[in-house]
Amino acid sequence: MNEFTLQPGQLTLGDLRAAWSAHAPLTLASAAWRDIAASSAAVAAIVAKGEPAYGINTGFGILAKAHIPVEQLATLQRNLILSHAVGTGPLIDDHIVRLILLTKIGSLARGYSGVRPLIVETLIALYNANIMPAIPVQGSVGASGDLAPLAHMTLAMLGVGQVRHNGVLVEANDALAAAGIEPVVLGAKEGLALINGTQVSTALALHGLFLAERLLEAALVTGALSVDAARGSDAPFDARIHAVRGQPGQIAAAAIYRELVAGSAIRASHLVGDERVQDPYSLRCQPQVMGAVMDLIGNAGRTLLIEANAVTDNPLLFTDGEAGSVILSGGNFHAEPVAFAADSLALAIAEIGALAERRIALLIDANLSGLPAFLVREPGLNSGFMIAHVTAAALASENKSLAHPASVDSLPTSANQEDHVSMATFAARRLHQMAHNTCVIVGIELLAACQGIEFHRPLRSSQTLESVHAQLREQVAPYDADRFFAPDIEAARTMVWQGALSASCKALFAALHP
């Protein structure tokens, strides 16, 4: 695996996708170490002066008026981590923890956080040794940063608690010893810099973003398959229709649909003599709906990329040459941008599934699709796709509740000092469940559409769609009569989850991945 050199503030979505997908060694651009050292020296100078400075020699939150003596500063920082490590729930998956570590390293390395180079070196050592802190997913309200989960991240640096080393849950102290990493003793401000920030909510939202991209691609493919299965028209994909509206996602989606169905003999077979004037909206309006989804995902991606490169702890140190340094207390830890982006992704994921569910309903309805009822020969003796559609409907309905915006909620914390919070971490973490639900729905549509296409044999669909059909049939046999159906759905879901549906036509989707 090639080593990745991190340039602070210059991560791309491609870099983040790569870290999310696989572990690779990390190094930091050499110029960054100078900025880290300068920021650390500024903290040391403040400590030497003895004047109160929030987060350096004071208590935290509403306890900021408490001045802490120099000899107790290390204890102050350690106590901060121990007291804030109050997370609960399942542990965050390693590939998301990688994003947390990567973005935290990048943030600290920009030189505004006042940590010593040792802190960044230790985080890089953990990353490279594939020692992933055990971070419970619940316990953050998205301001002041992701305090509880990031405290659990920091515990690993202290040799406290548990970590996953190469995927195996072990004691942190044992993992550090095995990797030759010394546990750190935190200096002034370092504990606060480590736990104050939006890296957890951002990483969870990036996970949702990358899953949403896969779902978008898969649903574009299954939607095109359903058009052919239902003997729908490709006229609604005509570029002229979309050009006069001007919505960029819609224009791009229509172009993808045109390419996907190009050369279909099934479509050619009913260009003349088809009595239907217009298709139902779930077929006809796909560019309008999926194009809007595409735009929403793109906007969320831009916000999350900015946040992944951001400095979001508090307070921040700014140095100005001979003028010395100034420490400023603000609120970059407030994760409202992440919450809004995550809520947008929730809408996008829910709509992908909602539209796919409607196409499944269309395909199993003989009156609308012209196909055998419930997509099986001898309906009555066989139930076919009847209850597979019920599963899709159940999951689409579940997503409606999960799509309720989290960002509109707020509960004051810290004795009303922190009186408005973003709820970004929940907004982001619920995306995984929503993506799973939509993945199943799109997987069921894949099964239904491929089944529908087979009723039109010997006519064939386009080359691209036939390739997808062949991929499925390598995993799942045609549904000739009722059988144990759940394994078929799981196989199709796995194809969607892994991005297999668009693997043979990646060039079509290049614009979705800036």
Side-chain angles (χ1 to χ4, degrees), residues 20 71 108-109 138 196 205 208 255 258 292 294-295 300 303 342 379 400 451:
W20 176 71
E71 64 271 15
L108 297 178
Q138 291 174 287
N196 222 199
R258 288 196 302 275
M294 191 183 300
D295 286 337
T303 295
K400 291 177 184 179
Q451 183 82 358

Side-chain angles (χ1 to χ4, degrees), residues 330-347:
N332 279 0
F333 51 69
H334 200 296
E336 197 82 345
V338 180
F340 283 167
D343 281 346
S344 296
L345 287 170
L347 293 176

Side-chain angles (χ1 to χ4, degrees), residues 138-159:
Q138 291 174 287
S140 174
V141 295
S144 298
D146 293 312
L147 294 171
L150 286 173
H152 284 273
M153 178 201 77
T154 307
L155 284 180
M157 304 172 66
L158 309 182

Side-chain angles (χ1 to χ4, degrees), residues 332-420:
N332 279 0
F333 51 69
H334 200 296
E336 197 82 345
V338 180
F340 283 167
D343 281 346
S344 296
L345 287 170
L347 293 176
I349 291 169
E351 277 299 274
I352 292 170
L355 195 63
E357 182 275 326
R358 287 291 79 208
R359 292 191 297 267
I360 298 167
L362 182 155
L363 292 175
I364 66 173
D365 186 337
N367 294 320
L368 289 173
S369 67
L371 298 167
F374 302 109
L375 298 173
V376 68
R377 300 190 190 282
E378 297 187 73
L381 175 63
N382 296 290
S383 295
F385 279 70
M386 179 189 295
I387 307 304
H389 168 248
V390 172
T391 295
L395 296 179
S397 178
E398 187 175 304
N399 274 354
K400 291 177 184 179
S401 294
L402 288 170
H404 179 82
S407 57
V408 299
D409 185 32
S410 176
L411 281 173
T413 60
S414 192
N416 283 310
Q417 172 76 358
E418 296 157 9
D419 56 355
H420 181 276

